[in-house]
Amino acid sequence: MAGIFKWLFGGSSAGNDRVEKDARGEPRGWSEPEPDPEIVRAPDLSLPEQKYFIQLERLTTSVSAQDYPAAAAAARASLPLLRNWLKDPRGDGLRLDIRIPALSQGGTMMAITGDNEGLAELRKLVQDFDHLKDYREEAEEHFSDLELFNRMRAVIRSKPGVLQNRMKAELDIEDGRRASRLVSYLEKNGEVQRTKSGNTHELYMAGVELPEAAGETIYTEPDNPGSHRRETRGTHPRELDLKRVSIVPLPPSPNAWDRSVDLPVTKEAFADPESAWQEIIVEPISKDDRPDPAFRRHYSTRGGTLSFDDLAKSDASLGAPGAVMFTNAKGQPGTTVPLRRAPRRISVHPEGDGFAILSRSNVLTVYGGDLKVDFETDLESAPEVAANRDRLGLAETEAHRALRCIALTPERDRYLFTHIDEAWCIGRDGKRLWGLRMPASEPTRIRVGEAFGTAAEIDEALEVLGLEMPVTPDEVRKRYRQLARELHPDLNPGNEERMKALNVASERLTGLDPEQLDGSGGGQGGFEIVISLGLAGQADWIYAAAFSGTGETALLGTYAGRVVRVDREGIPTTIYDVGSMPVRIIETEAYLYVMTTTRLYVLDGDHLVALEDCSAKCDLLVSGGMLLLVENKGVRVFTEDGKPLGIALTKAPIRRAYVDSGELVIETRTQCGRFRSIRSAPERA
């Protein structure tokens, strides 16, 4: 379900709209709900009708399950619903500028399944309505893709083993990436198989007999290890009661910024635009020591960094589904080890060693610090999974997406997994320790107003209240009430603008409107759209999970934008409300870091210590007592408590970044830059 709203509002003029979700989740069945007379409110006709969102769920879920015929059917079923929405003249001037997946990825699904009639209907729809004019060029590309899919199939049939990097020439097209994308779709659709051949792949139609050398490069999954669990029956988890847990409302994070959070660019190999470091030492990297770009996912551990090739592109993954490499604190790589199973989720604790992987077949594999397999267990056969699936009426075929998160304690003595809206903590010996279920959700509320602010505007909001970080929500409430009494226009006429600024500031700091802060009313305008998705809206899916720095407590991040802290007995103790879905949670022994697609929060208990805007493509590393927000060609560096230290830029894409003895080290493909001796603010001035 998260993908639906990213697709709807990400990158559009509505990208800054807040999704207020007391509890949200993903679909859990395809039975169509009874019509809701209040599907959309204020303004009317701003979004398509309820049936469109049901088809949208079917489209996104079918794409995730690689069921492309079902995805194509859902996309085509969406087209008349979109036409009905757009042809109603009462919606003119009210319709939100949303992204429509049925016209983009849905068109690709129709192309790969050969649905000419569906593509013709799509083309006519976008030509008939100016509201969809941005999709007209893409609609023509879908017809081109349909032709290219057919030509690609013909080439692979006539030339078994043709190299993927030759496909561009075989098809006589200029865009090699487009050719690779279409090959990937054919592979996921089960039509084509790829075998490793140097830096590219040989392509064969599915079902043909492969040459022996080619067959050796294909990964075959080991037998299912079964379950190590003691219990054979499920049990009822504890249910989270929002009224009995302390809630910490934080400045709400939007789903997407309409203002870019981009780093500057440089033409130099390495650059220090803020003069934050005293010197940069640049050294060439020998050919044998150059970082392999296949290892694209990096995680900090107690002794260094774990890097994963999760797409099986490295030499070490030949015949395996991927590989892992450990690099010590000095940046010296150790042995690279192939993974046992294809990774779907990876869990690394920053204060421990070893890691855990949830495979695409839902087997949990735990590795020790020596990168050898410690133990395995089949999560899909866990009794809690079967019980929750029965409770929700979820088909077994949807199990691949229902198991979402895994987490491991520093000592690897306990792990947790999540299934839709439930989290279960299990001992290394297989004993069930606790379970927790998120509350059922209310309809999704898309708030359009002034509730959001950038990091700079959050600082300004604190100034309006006369506060500074670290700050707690209670301090914000108390200060707001004090100033509201002093500035309220009914008591002190002439303060209307100051009162409005106070209301906006407090709403940005807490996500709560003034009515919730002091009961006096006075919200700051805007409007609210309510979308009821029936069964799909009744579960608040858990999308992020981690154990605390000591491993004593667990942290669960939900689609509703809550991070729930759970003690060792499974009792919820605190809820941090960040307003949108967390994508990464890390807790060291000193601080809690919560990251969404747009924002990083640094917390010490109930105190908000720091807040930074970030882009959806940045990675978070905790290394050498520093925080690193790593992007393609730049690193933002902070102290452990979130104070900005500097920005380091590169001309070439970054392959690896870490901290060695207080120095920031950045490696590109051919060069290493060491940023030495961070300056204090007065020195920079």
Side-chain angles (χ1 to χ4, degrees):
M1 183 58 64
I4 289 178
F5 286 100
K6 286 181 183 177
W7 269 345
L8 280 176
F9 298 103
S12 72
S13 62
N16 221 21
D17 300 346
R18 181 181 179 191
V19 179
E20 292 193 356
K21 313 169 287 295
D22 282 346
R24 277 294 312 133
E26 289 206 359
R28 48 181 169 137
W30 292 127
S31 57
E32 192 163 322
E34 292 297 320
D36 187 336
E38 295 183 327
I39 293 170
V40 178
R41 293 199 301 263
D44 295 332
L45 305 172
S46 61
L47 290 173
E49 61 178 304
Q50 170 87 354
K51 291 181 179 179
Y52 166 77
F53 290 101
I54 293 172
Q55 296 300 333
L56 180 54
E57 290 184 62
R58 289 174 173 166
L59 168 62
T60 57
T61 304
S62 298
V63 170
S64 177
Q66 297 178 13
D67 185 352
Y68 293 168
R76 187 169 179 180
S78 299
L79 301 181
L81 303 174
L82 291 169
R83 179 174 291 277
N84 289 339
W85 172 50
L86 293 167
K87 73 181 183 181
D88 191 331
R90 293 175 300 165
D92 293 346
L94 297 176
R95 296 184 181 96
L96 292 180
D97 182 14
I98 62 175
R99 298 175 66 184
I100 304 178
L103 305 181
S104 50
Q105 191 166 24
T108 302
M109 296 296 99
M110 286 188 267
I112 196 172
T113 55
D115 188 355
N116 260 301
E117 293 182 0
L119 290 179
E121 186 178 351
L122 187 157
R123 173 195 274 167
K124 189 172 189 314
L125 177 68
V126 301
Q127 291 295 337
D128 286 349
F129 297 97
D130 286 342
H131 191 80
L132 304 179
K133 61 183 179 182
D134 291 343
Y135 292 93
R136 291 171 183 171
E137 182 178 348
E138 192 173 10
E140 300 305 317
E141 289 180 355
H142 293 320
F143 278 98
S144 176
D145 282 347
L146 186 151
E147 179 191 1
L148 289 174
F149 276 129
N150 289 332
R151 290 173 56 197
M152 190 173 286
R153 293 178 180 110
V155 169
I156 299 171
R157 286 193 189 99
S158 63
K159 299 180 179 180
V162 62
L163 296 179
Q164 181 171 318
N165 60 6
R166 286 284 307 160
M167 191 56 69
K168 179 177 73 168
E170 294 284 349
L171 299 176
D172 192 24
I173 61 175
E174 296 294 328
D175 190 347
R177 290 188 176 183
R178 184 181 185 186
S180 295
R181 179 176 64 87
L182 298 183
V183 167
S184 177
Y185 274 119
L186 288 175
E187 182 186 33
K188 292 175 181 177
N189 200 36
E191 299 184 60
V192 167
Q193 49 188 335
R194 300 190 302 171
T195 67
K196 187 81 171 173
S197 179
N199 293 326
T200 185
H201 292 86
E202 295 177 0
L203 304 179
Y204 300 87
M205 295 303 292
V208 305
E209 186 175 351
L210 301 177
E212 183 177 351
E216 290 176 352
T217 71
I218 294 181
Y219 162 69
T220 302
E221 183 168 0
D223 293 338
N224 190 303
S227 176
H228 78 315
R229 296 293 307 284
R230 292 184 180 184
E231 299 87 1
T232 58
R233 293 185 178 181
T235 186
H236 293 294
R238 184 188 305 272
E239 295 207 25
L240 175 63
D241 185 345
L242 300 176
K243 297 179 180 179
R244 304 185 67 176
V245 183
S246 172
I247 298 180
V248 181
L250 297 167
S253 170
N255 289 323
W257 287 116
D258 59 1
R259 291 157 285 188
S260 181
V261 191
D262 294 330
L263 292 176
V265 297
T266 182
K267 295 182 179 180
E268 301 177 22
F270 297 91
D272 174 13
E274 298 178 346
S275 300
W277 289 271
Q278 292 184 10
E279 63 176 338
I280 306 174
I281 305 299
V282 179
E283 300 172 342
I285 302 176
S286 65
K287 188 174 182 179
D288 292 340
D289 294 332
R290 290 176 183 174
D292 187 343
F295 291 85
R296 65 188 191 117
R297 301 181 67 178
H298 308 281
Y299 299 84
S300 302
T301 69
R302 182 162 47 198
T305 302
L306 285 169
S307 302
F308 292 86
D309 165 24
D310 60 324
L311 299 179
K313 292 187 175 182
S314 65
D315 291 340
S317 67
L318 193 66
V324 59
M325 175 178 61
F326 176 74
T327 305
N328 67 20
K330 295 290 183 182
Q332 300 166 332
T335 304
T336 301
V337 176
L339 295 173
R340 181 172 174 79
R341 299 181 188 274
R344 185 162 65 91
R345 301 281 186 268
I346 299 172
S347 174
V348 179
H349 198 290
E351 301 288 354
D353 55 13
F355 60 96
I357 279 179
L358 177 64
S359 75
R360 294 172 188 170
S361 58
N362 290 326
V363 171
L364 175 72
T365 305
V366 176
Y367 294 75
D370 57 1
L371 306 188
K372 295 180 180 179
V373 173
D374 187 2
F375 75 94
E376 290 191 303
T377 185
D378 179 12
L379 292 185
E380 195 169 330
S381 65
E384 298 83 11
V385 170
N388 202 33
R389 191 167 55 223
D390 290 345
R391 176 180 72 92
L392 298 174
L394 189 71
E396 289 191 25
T397 55
E398 296 183 86
H400 68 282
R401 67 188 185 91
L403 282 157
R404 297 290 309 187
C405 306
I406 55 172
L408 198 62
T409 61
E411 305 304 323
R412 305 193 306 279
D413 62 328
R414 285 165 288 138
Y415 67 89
L416 69 80
F417 68 88
T418 71
H419 184 265
I420 307 181
D421 55 350
E422 294 182 357
W424 294 92
C425 183
I426 311 296
R428 171 66 177 82
D429 60 358
K431 181 180 179 182
R432 181 169 52 220
L433 302 176
W434 55 261
L436 181 68
R437 180 185 298 159
M438 299 300 125
S441 83
E442 296 178 359
T444 295
R445 301 178 185 275
I446 303 172
R447 180 84 175 275
V448 182
E450 297 181 282
F452 297 107
T454 63
E457 288 168 336
I458 295 300
D459 288 338
E460 293 172 2
L462 286 170
E463 288 184 17
V464 169
L465 271 72
L467 299 170
E468 61 182 20
M469 293 186 194
V471 66
T472 67
D474 281 345
E475 290 170 346
V476 172
R477 286 176 186 269
K478 290 177 182 178
R479 184 60 175 160
Y480 171 82
R481 290 168 180 165
Q482 176 188 348
L483 292 175
R485 286 193 295 268
E486 296 175 5
L487 299 175
H488 200 288
D490 291 346
L491 302 176
N492 295 290
N495 288 316
E496 288 80 5
E497 290 303 314
R498 292 183 63 190
M499 189 67 201
K500 180 179 178 180
L502 177 65
N503 286 339
V504 170
S506 60
E507 189 171 359
R508 284 178 173 170
L509 289 170
T510 64
L512 305 175
D513 62 34
E515 193 172 282
Q516 294 170 287
L517 284 165
D518 72 349
S520 64
Q524 296 306 302
F527 58 85
E528 185 177 85
I529 303 163
V530 180
I531 304 172
S532 173
L533 294 176
L535 292 177
Q538 296 175 15
D540 186 11
W541 286 54
I542 302 171
Y543 274 85
F547 279 99
S548 65
T550 62
E552 287 300 302
T553 65
L555 296 139
L556 307 171
T558 77
Y559 184 65
R562 301 189 185 99
V563 177
V564 184
R565 184 181 293 279
V566 187
D567 71 13
R568 192 171 180 125
E569 305 303 318
I571 300 173
T573 59
T574 309
I575 296 173
Y576 306 94
D577 189 350
V578 297
S580 67
M581 182 185 72
V583 295
R584 190 86 183 273
I585 301 172
I586 297 176
E587 187 168 54
T588 64
E589 293 190 13
Y591 296 101
L592 169 62
Y593 307 101
V594 177
M595 191 174 184
T596 70
T597 56
T598 58
R599 181 161 282 167
L600 171 66
Y601 299 84
V602 183
L603 294 152
D604 180 5
D606 290 355
H607 287 78
L608 178 62
V609 176
L611 177 148
E612 289 292 333
D613 298 331
C614 61
S615 70
K617 294 182 179 180
C618 95
D619 196 12
L620 171 64
L621 291 177
V622 183
S623 176
M626 295 183 187
L627 293 182
L628 307 181
L629 287 179
V630 184
E631 301 190 34
N632 184 40
K633 295 183 179 180
V635 181
R636 296 163 65 191
V637 185
F638 305 85
T639 60
E640 199 174 17
D641 60 354
K643 292 184 177 62
L645 291 175
I647 298 174
L649 304 177
T650 64
K651 180 181 179 181
I654 294 171
R655 300 301 188 204
R656 186 165 58 193
Y658 57 93
V659 176
D660 175 15
S661 302
E663 297 179 357
L664 172 66
V665 183
I666 299 178
E667 296 178 1
T668 62
R669 187 177 69 87
T670 61
Q671 292 181 303
C672 173
R674 300 186 74 92
F675 291 70
R676 292 181 169 173
S677 304
I678 198 83
R679 301 176 190 268
S680 63
E683 288 181 294
R684 297 184 212 182

